[in-house]
Amino acid sequence: MSSSTWVGRGAMSRRQVLAALGAAGLGLGLTGCKVVTDPNAAGAASPKPTHDYNIPDSGAKLPTGDVTFHWMDSGDLKAMFEKPLFRAYEKKHPNVRIDYQDSPWDRINEVVPLGVRNGTAPDVFAKPNNVPVQVMVNEGWVTPIDDVIPDFEKWKAGFPKNSFIPGVHIFNDRTYTWPVTSSKRYGQMLMYDREYLQRAGLDPENEPMSWDTFRAAAKKITQQGKGNYYGLMLYGTGISAVVGALAELAGARRGSDYWIDWKTGRYAYTAPELYDAFEFLLALKADGSLFPGFLSLGESDARARMPQRVAGMIFDGPWDIPEWPTINPDFDFGVAMPPSPTKGTWAPSAYQEVGANQAFVFAKSRYKSIAGDLFSYMGGLEGQTNIVTASEGNLTSQRPDANARARRTDLLSDRAKAGWDIAQRLLRMAPMVEVRNPDAVQVTLAQKPVKPALVDIAQGIFSGQITNVKAALRDLNDRSERALDDAIKAARAKGAKVSRTDWEFPNWDPAKDYTPEMYAELS
């Protein structure tokens, strides 16, 4: 494989999860209970905490007349960094006004393709969810950043080796995007109302729960709530993510949200742990411990209800940590490890380092130099450190030096540190077929979505429409196998050199990060 030849929130699509390899070597055990939140001082002096944006001159040839530069993405946690950055940039360059459009994904999905067709797309934009990167490249939507960012190779060298990957960031030996932040964050932590859990006699941060303990706790909280609050908050489209995470922590072997056992290269929807996880949540439903009407709730609605104190627990990610205090400043909540079948012992969870929050430069932008100037700062040590600190540690960098520098400040909340430590403790990098064989990208483009998918089956199970869980999972597994085989055949017909054996990684150990050396062993 040539060396020259990626969430937003929640689970991402396969097209988004074409992962970048990062250096890891965590060496952390998966047993024990307390999440460590001490700063990683590493013997170095702590830098003065600051959110200053000292933007250096990158060497970019910037416009001298008055200009308006348009930037569109989904906002969320990254807006905590981008908004002050753009203000600082305008202060340094008074002739530049930055029109920052932090928008919901449905608007991005509509505005960006239309703007590309009309030649009016934002100068920098996030990738629409329904458009693969390769399509944007092939159809000329975006421009390579190699010539946009000044002294690109030196800038790129600040990131760990293999952060930029063919088929993910690089197409035809040109780089089209970059890892603005790391995707290494755990999205199914146990977030809980401290008062309700204490009233039930539990302290999850110091005493993790087994599935049995969790079920009993949810039932007790519901009884104490007397109709005013319940044990566990779920939402319809999120059930499959919770079930999947619980199954994986119980020992199911899957490659991130893509349900393949990389050891065999076969789908793993029939894993007994997945069935057990469904049975576990169904037992909570039978107990009456789930928030009423959860099937009709959307993701944002379910999350926003937690600070209203209508439930004791929810499985969710670090994005809630800075958001919930804005809804209810008095809401006292904790962040802890999720439950496991055996108290205090968790199987590792697979992740793929896609470098979340990628940004793209519109090919017809008249102000590419401004994009390059901003990217230059954002990807440097200070910029990456400020992304971490501005988000209170709920976003992290692929650059270890930026994470360590941010961790030595007093700008990260204890909750953010707890979320960070949970991710470090649980997540291990899985192998990726597109890294092993870049032609596998053609299979991804050819693969048709399987319907009903796991998310649909989960909703059917909890609505009572599906009663034979094992049969439904077996059917999903069979349909997924056929869809992948068909996609491989379609890709081969177009010239791609791929086979089903590319999906087999016999040297994969789920307890360890899959390293570049392990790919080399297979070649």
Side-chain angles (χ1 to χ4, degrees):
M1 186 178 78
S2 170
S3 60
S4 64
T5 330
W6 95 28
V7 52
R9 293 177 173 177
M12 293 178 287
S13 71
R14 183 59 175 167
R15 290 187 173 94
Q16 291 172 296
V17 186
L18 296 181
L21 286 174
L26 302 175
L28 296 174
L30 295 177
T31 58
C33 58
K34 187 168 179 61
V35 175
V36 179
T37 58
D38 291 336
N40 177 18
S46 297
K48 181 180 179 181
T50 178
H51 279 156
D52 293 340
Y53 291 75
N54 301 309
I55 305 169
D57 293 327
S58 69
K61 296 181 180 179
L62 302 174
T64 56
D66 291 342
V67 302
T68 298
F69 184 84
H70 303 277
W71 182 301
M72 172 179 272
D73 62 31
S74 62
D76 300 319
L77 287 171
K78 57 187 170 290
M80 299 172 71
F81 161 75
E82 290 172 341
K83 287 181 178 180
L85 167 63
F86 296 154
R87 288 196 296 268
Y89 196 85
E90 290 174 331
K91 183 176 181 180
K92 180 175 181 179
H93 303 285
N95 64 310
V96 177
R97 185 179 79 86
I98 298 180
D99 171 31
Y100 178 43
Q101 304 168 47
D102 50 336
S103 308
W105 280 108
D106 57 355
R107 178 165 174 76
I108 293 172
N109 295 341
E110 176 186 356
V111 168
V112 170
L114 179 62
V116 169
R117 289 195 296 269
N118 296 337
T120 59
D123 298 282
V124 171
F125 54 77
K127 183 188 81 64
N129 287 332
N130 54 354
V131 183
V133 176
Q134 190 167 35
V135 170
M136 297 200 303
V137 171
N138 291 345
E139 296 188 0
W141 290 24
V142 293
T143 195
I145 60 175
D146 313 62
D147 301 326
V148 171
I149 299 175
D151 204 355
F152 176 76
E153 290 301 327
K154 181 179 179 181
W155 175 87
K156 179 181 176 182
F159 289 85
K161 184 180 179 181
N162 295 316
S163 293
F164 295 77
I165 301 183
V168 181
H169 311 94
I170 301 171
F171 297 85
N172 302 320
D173 296 331
R174 302 286 283 166
T175 308
Y176 284 85
T177 188
W178 60 285
V180 179
T181 62
S182 171
S183 59
K184 189 176 184 180
R185 55 184 182 179
Y186 192 68
Q188 300 298 332
M189 299 182 294
L190 177 61
M191 318 280 282
Y192 65 95
D193 187 306
R194 286 187 190 275
E195 181 183 345
Y196 293 167
L197 269 290
Q198 288 172 357
R199 192 178 298 170
L202 296 162
D203 180 10
E205 286 179 350
N206 292 287
E207 192 70 20
M209 290 186 277
S210 67
W211 283 8
D212 288 342
T213 305
F214 186 93
R215 180 181 177 184
K219 189 173 184 177
K220 188 172 183 179
I221 292 168
T222 301
Q223 291 171 344
Q224 292 175 338
K226 298 180 180 179
N228 294 312
Y229 57 86
Y230 295 81
L232 179 64
M233 173 66 74
L234 287 177
Y235 57 93
T237 56
I239 301 171
S240 58
V242 172
V243 169
L246 292 172
E248 192 170 24
L249 296 176
R253 298 162 72 93
R254 66 166 182 167
S256 189
D257 65 312
Y258 194 48
W259 269 90
I260 277 188
D261 179 346
W262 290 119
K263 195 88 171 178
T264 63
R266 298 289 164 175
Y267 279 89
Y269 289 117
T270 56
E273 295 88 356
L274 182 57
Y275 173 79
D276 291 344
F278 269 113
E279 290 293 296
F280 170 57
L281 286 187
L282 284 169
L284 270 70
K285 180 176 182 287
D287 292 339
S289 299
L290 304 183
F291 183 81
F294 66 92
L295 278 173
S296 63
L297 291 180
E299 179 180 1
S300 59
D301 191 21
R303 288 168 172 159
R305 287 175 184 254
M306 283 299 294
Q308 299 171 15
R309 309 197 65 200
V310 297
M313 299 176 287
I314 188 174
F315 296 111
D316 215 359
W319 39 83
D320 293 331
I321 295 173
E323 177 66 21
W324 282 352
T326 67
I327 299 174
N328 180 2
D330 297 325
F331 179 44
D332 185 14
F333 63 96
V335 178
M337 296 283 282
S340 59
T342 303
K343 172 183 173 181
T345 302
W346 302 266
S349 182
Y351 86 105
Q352 297 178 315
E353 181 56 273
V354 303
N357 298 311
Q358 289 97 329
F360 295 82
V361 181
F362 181 36
K364 294 183 179 180
S365 169
R366 292 184 295 162
Y367 309 121
K368 296 182 180 70
S369 61
I370 297 177
D373 199 31
L374 285 164
F375 286 3
S376 179
Y377 173 79
M378 293 171 69
L381 177 57
E382 181 181 309
Q384 287 286 289
T385 302
N386 276 344
I387 287 176
V388 179
T389 56
S391 66
E392 299 175 4
N394 297 296
L395 291 176
T396 59
S397 172
Q398 279 199 22
R399 293 186 53 154
D401 54 352
N403 289 329
R405 190 167 181 253
R407 194 69 185 254
R408 293 196 298 269
T409 73
D410 63 2
L411 296 175
L412 307 188
S413 69
D414 287 341
R415 292 179 181 129
K417 292 176 183 176
W420 190 335
D421 289 334
I422 288 170
Q424 296 291 322
R425 185 174 207 159
L426 292 179
L427 295 176
R428 298 293 180 268
M429 195 179 301
M432 181 168 162
V433 65
E434 292 86 354
V435 175
R436 181 181 183 181
N437 181 357
D439 273 8
V441 172
Q442 302 303 321
V443 177
T444 301
L445 294 174
Q447 192 167 1
K448 296 180 180 178
V450 173
K451 287 289 185 179
L454 184 61
V455 61
D456 308 304
I457 291 170
Q459 290 175 298
I461 290 170
F462 277 80
S463 67
Q465 294 176 319
I466 295 176
T467 56
N468 192 330
V469 177
K470 287 185 177 180
L473 294 176
R474 165 59 67 184
D475 177 64
L476 173 61
N477 208 81
D478 293 343
R479 288 185 289 112
S480 299
E481 287 286 334
R482 289 194 297 270
L484 179 54
D485 286 338
D486 290 345
I488 291 173
K489 290 178 183 177
R492 288 172 61 90
K494 293 183 177 180
K497 296 179 180 180
V498 291
S499 70
R500 192 63 191 259
T501 57
D502 290 327
W503 276 253
E504 299 172 6
F505 294 82
N507 59 350
W508 178 48
D509 180 351
K512 299 178 181 179
D513 286 297
Y514 202 86
T515 64
E517 292 74 22
M518 297 173 81
Y519 285 100
E521 291 174 4
L522 300 180
S523 61

